[in-house]
Amino acid sequence: MDAGEGGVLLHSNDDHNFVSMEEGFADKELSVMNSSTPLNHVYVKISNDSTINNISVSKGSIDPRDVALKPPRLVSLDVFRGLTVALMVLVDHVGGIVPAINHSPWDGVTLADFVMPFFLFIVGVALALVYKKLPCRVDATKKAVLRALKLFLFGVVLQGGYLHRINDLTFGVDILQIRLMGTLQRIAIAYLLTAVCEIWLTRDDVVKSRRSMLKKYKFQWIFVLVLTVTYTALLYGLHVADWEYRIPSENSSFSSNIISVKCGVRGDTGPACNAVGMIDRKLLGVQHLYKRPTYARTKECSMSSPDNGPLPPNAPSWCQAPFDPEGILSSVMAIVTCMIGLHFGHIIVHFKDHKDRILSWTMPAAGLVVVGFMLDFCGIHMNKALYSFSYTCVTVGAAGILLVGIYVMVDVLGFRKPALVFEWMGRHALVIYILAACNVLPVLLQGFYWEKPENNFLKLLGIGQT
């Protein structure tokens, strides 16, 4: 999807630094671009009758400065996005069967836990290319706000509970119970703040080296540091008091049981008494949180752990409590992931040579992975639900390394055919996400039935209700 249409699972504009001239232009003289030449075009001087961009021109019939060759896009960005979408579809449909690739119940990471950071990372990369030229900062900000708002509201509709699950044919959601946060909402928040940083926190310095690039974007890195320090201070500094929640009574749909959770601690990173959940309960309300948290699959809460199962005897009181894995405080580090992706996009914008790009990507990516494992070893465990600092480092570092691998294979070595499917999926990422991950396609299929709603196409395929 194009950045101008949705602004999130978006693909970038053409990369103005990635320019190649085909053999057919050997008889044309490449003119030297002066300071007034737009960065996203290459001008050629016509020496004979020629065809450029499928338009026939002849010498003397057109001013050479009016003929612009649009450079090809970086295919690796589409492939990366498409691979992430494919990974998302895989873990959504196979994760329930193979718990090893499903989201980790709490501490630790699995294959599924890389999907969200990969999406956030590629959004940041794309934003660096989208905003490489800014005619008007105010207009760009207004458009970014509007796109983010649309995406956030879109996420509330798709993931707030209005559309039913595969085994639940009830439509609609009580406004007092609707889930406010979610995957699309988190990406919308990260997109907006990253876009605003790129629009307003950029110096006018000329980039000649890696050091000068860091100087040009130093205010953005200060913002990243502030976010990281703020998250860490709140996670380990806030006191979490006792709290309670309600669950529907088994005997009556009109009554509920009140369950109390004892905390009274500070700096706890377990499922029950962490600051991430406390902030969401205070600001969003416990009734607006995700009703099926991953920690329900922990050994304390499931007899079939790491899969869902019945509650074991003497299960903790928090096992059935709502918890949002895309909550407010955890989204702070999601913004950091997007900002680091933005830095990787800056490397595309300012460095033309393959070697420079690869080195500028590989070193920080590998460093982040090392730092993440060191933090995990020191007790700051990798945790997707909390979006911990170690989890941020490892996942965004892995995203950078994966981007390097795809870039070398597709854009440097030219092995494009093996990645054509992922390239196509990357260009239609938002549509695939909605159909495959938001139950839109199953809902459409379940809309056709015979005699009674339970007799639908999904049941015929062995997917729907049993």
Side-chain angles (χ1 to χ4, degrees):
M1 176 163 185
D2 189 80
E5 297 179 17
V8 56
L9 303 178
L10 43 77
H11 58 67
S12 64
N13 292 339
D14 298 321
D15 169 25
H16 65 268
N17 285 319
F18 190 63
V19 179
S20 62
M21 302 299 291
E22 297 181 357
E23 295 292 335
F25 290 97
D27 61 339
K28 300 173 181 66
E29 179 183 350
L30 182 64
S31 63
V32 179
M33 292 186 293
N34 55 39
S35 60
S36 63
T37 302
L39 290 176
N40 59 338
H41 291 85
V42 174
Y43 292 95
V44 296
K45 181 178 180 181
I46 308 301
S47 57
N48 298 305
D49 292 351
S50 309
T51 301
I52 298 179
N53 291 343
N54 298 322
I55 301 175
S56 297
V57 297
S58 60
K59 184 178 180 180
S61 64
I62 189 169
D63 192 319
R65 292 173 295 178
D66 294 333
V67 180
L69 300 181
K70 199 174 184 181
R73 62 189 296 118
L74 276 178
V75 179
S76 53
L77 301 186
D78 288 323
V79 174
F80 184 99
R81 191 180 299 104
L83 185 62
T84 304
V85 172
L87 179 62
M88 174 200 67
V89 174
L90 173 67
V91 298
D92 280 351
H93 291 83
V94 182
I97 303 173
V98 185
I101 69 172
N102 200 359
H103 289 290
S104 175
W106 196 246
D107 288 336
V109 291
T110 63
L111 190 62
D113 295 322
F114 286 89
V115 175
M116 169 65 79
F118 281 10
F119 272 131
L120 292 166
F121 174 83
I122 201 63
V123 168
V125 174
L127 283 173
L129 306 181
V130 169
Y131 294 117
K132 61 190 175 185
K133 294 179 62 179
L134 282 174
C136 179
R137 291 185 176 183
V138 175
D139 289 343
T141 304
K142 291 179 180 178
K143 291 179 181 179
V145 171
L146 183 60
R147 291 168 187 163
L149 182 60
K150 288 179 180 178
L151 187 68
F152 190 94
L153 295 177
F154 199 41
V156 171
V157 173
L158 289 175
Q159 300 177 307
Y162 181 81
L163 299 179
H164 65 75
R165 293 185 293 164
I166 292 179
N167 293 321
D168 180 7
L169 293 176
T170 301
F171 286 88
V173 60
D174 184 356
I175 293 296
L176 298 178
Q177 302 292 325
I178 192 170
R179 183 188 178 196
L180 298 177
M181 298 296 286
T183 302
L184 293 179
Q185 295 94 306
R186 166 172 282 179
I187 298 178
I189 294 171
Y191 163 81
L192 176 59
L193 292 180
T194 305
V196 170
C197 284
E198 180 66 0
I199 294 170
W200 294 100
L201 299 183
T202 303
R203 293 162 58 100
D204 295 328
D205 301 21
V206 177
V207 174
K208 297 181 180 179
S209 63
R210 296 187 185 95
R211 179 177 296 181
S212 62
M213 188 178 74
L214 291 175
K215 183 178 180 181
K216 179 179 179 70
Y217 300 106
K218 70 175 184 178
F219 292 114
Q220 295 182 5
W221 287 112
I222 292 174
F223 178 66
V224 169
L225 180 62
V226 169
L227 289 179
T228 304
V229 171
T230 300
Y231 168 85
T232 304
L234 293 176
L235 179 64
Y236 293 101
L238 288 179
H239 179 269
V240 181
D242 299 344
W243 55 283
E244 60 185 29
Y245 66 100
R246 297 173 181 268
I247 57 174
S249 173
E250 296 181 357
N251 300 324
S252 173
S253 58
F254 298 100
S255 62
S256 59
N257 298 322
I258 299 178
I259 308 296
S260 298
V261 179
K262 300 296 182 181
C263 288
V265 296
R266 190 187 310 273
D268 187 88
T269 57
C273 302
N274 58 79
V276 171
M278 184 192 70
I279 290 176
D280 289 338
R281 292 190 295 270
K282 294 290 185 180
L283 299 183
L284 300 177
V286 68
Q287 72 275 15
H288 293 296
L289 304 183
Y290 188 54
K291 304 295 191 297
R292 300 178 297 278
T294 57
Y295 61 58
R297 295 189 284 108
T298 59
K299 292 181 179 180
E300 296 92 335
C301 300
S302 173
M303 297 181 66
S304 303
S305 180
D307 202 355
N308 289 300
L311 286 171
N314 301 319
S317 59
W318 47 263
C319 281
Q320 300 179 77
F323 181 90
D324 210 308
E326 282 83 40
I328 296 173
L329 182 57
S330 56
S331 293
V332 171
M333 295 307 291
I335 299 168
V336 171
T337 296
C338 200
M339 291 292 296
I340 296 175
L342 182 68
H343 169 70
F344 276 66
H346 290 156
I347 293 171
I348 298 175
V349 172
H350 296 296
F351 296 96
K352 302 178 182 180
D353 184 70
H354 292 317
K355 182 179 179 180
D356 288 339
R357 287 179 175 179
I358 293 171
L359 287 176
S360 299
W361 283 336
T362 304
M363 291 187 293
L368 284 167
V369 172
V370 172
V371 169
F373 278 104
M374 290 177 61
L375 290 171
D376 184 73
F377 179 78
C378 294
I380 303 178
H381 298 299
M382 288 179 273
N383 188 297
K384 191 264 182 185
L386 300 179
Y387 218 113
S388 63
F389 189 22
S390 57
Y391 170 78
T392 302
C393 292
V394 169
T395 53
V396 77
I401 294 173
L402 179 60
L403 177 62
V404 171
I406 296 174
Y407 177 78
V408 171
M409 183 186 75
V410 176
D411 289 314
V412 178
L413 300 179
F415 294 126
R416 187 172 175 178
K417 287 186 179 180
L420 283 177
V421 174
F422 297 125
E423 181 183 346
W424 177 85
M425 294 179 70
R427 296 195 179 199
H428 303 85
L430 184 57
V431 174
I432 296 173
Y433 177 85
I434 292 171
L435 292 177
C438 297
N439 283 340
V440 172
L441 183 58
V443 165
L444 293 175
L445 292 176
Q446 286 183 322
F448 296 92
Y449 62 89
W450 51 97
E451 295 185 351
K452 55 183 179 179
E454 289 76 14
N455 296 331
N456 53 65
F457 285 111
L458 288 191
K459 183 178 180 181
L460 182 65
L461 296 174
I463 302 175
Q465 291 194 2
T466 57

